[in-house]
Amino acid sequence: MKRSFRRALWVGAVVALTAATAPMASAFGAGSVTTTFTKVQDWGTGHETRVTITNGSDATVATWRIEFDLPSGTSISSSWDADVTRSGNHYVAVKKSWAGGLAPGASFSWGYNGAGAYRAPLNCTINGAPCGGGTPPPTTAPPTTTPPTTAPPTTPPPTTPPPTTTPPDPNGKKVVGYFAQWGVYARNYHVKNIHTSGSASKLTHILYAFGNTTGGRCTIGDSYADYEKAYTAADSVDGVADTWDQPLRGSFNQLRKLKKMYPHIKVIWSFGGWTWSGGFTQAAQNPAAFADSCYRLVEDPRWADVFDGIDVDWEYPNACGLTCDSSGPNAFKNVVSALRARFGSGNLVTAAITADGSNGGKIDATDYAGAATHLNWIMPMTYDYFGAFNAQGPTAPHSPLTSYPGIPQQGFWSDAAIQKLKSKGIPANKLLLGIGFYGRGWTGVTQTAPGGTATGPAPGTYEQGIEDYKVLKNSCPATGTIAGTAYAKCGSNWWSYDTPATIGGKMTYAKNQGLGGAFFWELSGDTGNGELIGAIKGGLG
């Protein structure tokens, strides 16, 4: 588990705001398949819409195709979890290749951001039938793109009850993603990208990585990226440029704007990570003083409204990471207990922890179960099990869900960590499954299947042996799967990484295990339209 500066988790519940439904559905056997359009947000110059397909028939729907018109003055600017095409004001949305069939009684949601104020779609059909339910029109009926002589009202009749606002589900599955503060440099990934990719509507929590731990205190990690960098209008979440005398700038102010646009999102400040965990050793000597310093920093009046809690990413208590710690098995529990006491019940306190499921390994070195009572949730980092930090191999998937014949190390797979943590008494709904939005790879490999020898790390854009999913999906498409994840050999390079399909399988596992949701490292590794986060959200839904 060597990924520099990594890992943090965010939890929350997706808020469905003002609901407005347009008539939509289609019949496939007994019963109907219906479609509803829900206005999630409307900020005047733009809006977000969630589209939900519900299979009310008695047969599985293998595929779907939705056609609809948008009134003049509104249009779709970006979409996720469906393939959308446009001709004038007419739109066609079809099922993504990674999305499975829709079983009887099941629902599937996709969404879009639109230009202009929200207006309900018109003339909607799903697989040729009305979106509100019923049978397809007779063959002599005019095409759905031809408006009827008398246009239907765009608002419900007076007898229709007004739409209701659905509160966030406190027991809903969490979708937590890390935002890496250094991504604003070479990666050119900013908070605005969380919005434009469609990812913001799928996230429940964002983990801001990282704050530092020095001198037994929580400290700023990068003041320029955090709160000094001035954003132009083009790079700002809301299109408004920073001014020179503005009290708060940088990513903190951008996160404030994002939360205003997406009120359901909670932001957690994560401290530590691979590089900055060394300070936890001193923090453990006086947990109360450490917790007080963290509270004062997170609740600094300049940005107190930005953050909803604190995350501890200590790699690794009473074990070795970049440095070794010998604070004892109770140190981690004592630190998070002090944080909970200082931050109170109204703030989130979470932790990213080891996923070493081996006998006598890192999970066994610390009383994580004792700490769990003080934490909202725990994120075992179920990735980075294997990689070119062992330069000669053997090649192995870095995030296997299960074991497989020839795995290089016993206990180094996701299910091993989950089962060990559950066996220690940690409730399943306090555990989130970790997903890497990147691959790990070797070069000098001649064997396609896992287990081959190598000569070193494969070339990577920012770091040898590591590459983003958004690059790998095109440069080295997955050709095989093993232990619930994917791999590919391209020339002499061998890569392993998760795809939308393998993430779907992992989300099925998470639901079957009763886990609280999933988290991932990190947002900039995804495609520009949020392909991987869409698979997480869709798989947990």
Side-chain angles (χ1 to χ4, degrees):
M1 299 134 182
K2 303 278 198 281
R3 187 153 174 79
S4 300
F5 276 104
R6 68 179 174 285
R7 305 182 283 238
L9 243 229
W10 291 70
V11 180
V14 175
V15 181
L17 299 178
T18 310
T21 58
M24 315 191 164
S26 76
F28 305 89
S32 294
V33 177
T34 58
T35 302
T36 58
F37 286 69
T38 301
K39 178 178 65 176
V40 179
Q41 293 190 86
D42 189 339
W43 53 94
T45 58
H47 62 275
E48 177 190 348
T49 300
R50 180 174 61 252
V51 187
T52 302
I53 302 125
T54 302
N55 185 4
S57 75
D58 58 1
T60 296
V61 176
T63 189
W64 47 261
R65 174 187 176 95
I66 301 170
E67 297 195 36
F68 58 96
D69 299 324
L70 285 181
S72 177
T74 185
S75 61
I76 293 177
S77 55
S78 64
S79 62
W80 51 92
D81 298 342
D83 291 320
V84 180
T85 56
R86 174 185 183 181
S87 177
N89 69 335
H90 186 70
Y91 292 84
V92 177
V94 297
K95 184 175 77 73
K96 285 278 192 183
S97 60
W98 51 261
L102 201 59
S107 296
F108 178 86
S109 293
W110 61 277
Y112 63 83
N113 288 327
Y118 174 84
R119 295 183 65 187
L122 306 171
N123 309 318
C124 182
T125 64
I126 177 167
N127 289 8
C131 284
T135 57
T139 55
T140 56
T144 57
T145 53
T146 302
T149 305
T150 302
T154 57
T155 56
T159 55
T160 303
T164 58
T165 299
T166 304
D169 179 5
N171 299 311
K173 299 297 184 185
K174 300 166 183 66
V175 180
V176 180
Y178 280 91
F179 177 87
Q181 72 196 152
W182 57 93
V184 304
Y185 299 119
R187 287 178 170 270
N188 196 30
Y189 189 91
H190 306 277
V191 175
K192 178 182 178 179
N193 296 99
I194 307 175
H195 163 60
T196 57
S197 65
S199 299
S201 62
K202 303 178 183 66
L203 286 163
T204 60
H205 300 78
I206 295 172
L207 291 171
Y208 186 82
F210 286 109
N212 204 345
T213 60
T214 57
R217 301 170 59 242
C218 279
T219 59
I220 285 290
D222 179 344
S223 62
Y224 179 77
D226 292 347
Y227 59 84
E228 294 170 353
K229 175 179 167 61
Y231 272 84
T232 64
D235 290 336
S236 181
V237 168
D238 60 358
V240 178
D242 290 341
T243 60
W244 69 269
D245 57 348
Q246 194 167 299
L248 184 69
R249 298 184 294 191
S251 292
F252 287 2
N253 186 52
Q254 294 298 307
L255 286 167
R256 173 184 284 164
K257 292 183 175 186
L258 187 75
K259 289 181 69 176
K260 184 177 181 181
M261 192 177 290
Y262 298 90
H264 73 275
I265 291 179
K266 304 294 184 184
V267 179
I268 303 169
W269 195 347
S270 183
F271 287 81
W274 180 254
T275 306
W276 287 343
S277 282
F280 284 118
T281 297
Q282 186 174 349
Q285 297 171 15
N286 191 339
F290 174 72
D292 186 64
S293 76
C294 298
Y295 183 84
R296 291 175 182 275
L297 183 58
V298 175
E299 297 294 331
D300 185 297
R302 290 172 291 176
W303 51 70
D305 61 317
V306 174
F307 296 105
D308 300 283
I310 186 171
D311 175 75
V312 177
D313 192 345
W314 185 351
E315 304 181 16
Y316 298 93
N318 206 35
C320 294
L322 183 62
T323 59
C324 290
D325 173 74
S326 57
S327 299
N330 294 322
F332 178 75
K333 177 177 64 177
N334 293 341
V335 167
V336 298
S337 174
L339 287 169
R340 173 58 72 195
R342 187 66 181 91
F343 278 80
S345 60
N347 284 298
L348 295 167
V349 181
T350 67
I353 70 168
T354 177
D356 176 359
S358 63
N359 291 330
K362 289 184 172 68
I363 288 178
D364 292 327
T366 296
D367 183 9
Y368 288 111
T373 60
H374 307 292
L375 296 166
N376 291 87
W377 67 83
I378 292 176
M379 300 171 280
M381 296 176 283
T382 47
Y383 39 76
D384 293 343
Y385 283 112
F386 307 105
F389 39 83
N390 293 321
Q392 278 70 52
T395 57
H398 80 85
S399 186
L401 178 61
T402 59
S403 185
Y404 62 91
I407 194 166
Q409 171 69 47
Q410 289 302 305
F412 274 33
W413 59 87
S414 303
D415 181 59
I418 296 296
Q419 299 310 324
K420 180 178 277 284
L421 292 165
K422 288 169 67 174
S423 73
K424 291 179 179 293
I426 299 176
N429 64 3
K430 276 199 171 185
L431 296 172
L432 306 187
L433 187 67
I435 303 292
F437 279 12
Y438 60 93
R440 284 192 174 272
W442 289 262
T443 194
V445 180
T446 59
Q447 178 177 311
T448 299
T453 59
T455 59
T461 304
Y462 305 103
E463 183 179 349
Q464 285 191 327
I466 296 176
E467 188 57 270
D468 291 342
Y469 167 77
K470 66 176 181 279
V471 174
L472 289 171
K473 68 166 290 190
N474 298 313
S475 66
C476 194
T479 55
T481 58
I482 189 168
T485 189
Y487 65 89
K489 180 177 177 292
C490 302
S492 65
N493 296 329
W494 192 96
W495 291 96
S496 74
Y497 56 94
D498 274 308
T499 65
T502 64
I503 287 174
K506 288 185 173 184
M507 295 307 99
T508 298
Y509 166 87
K511 290 193 294 186
N512 290 343
Q513 290 290 322
L515 304 187
F519 75 101
F520 60 88
W521 181 272
E522 43 85 16
L523 280 154
S524 73
D526 205 352
T527 59
N529 61 351
E531 196 172 294
L532 296 186
I533 193 174
I536 291 176
K537 177 65 175 173
L540 289 174

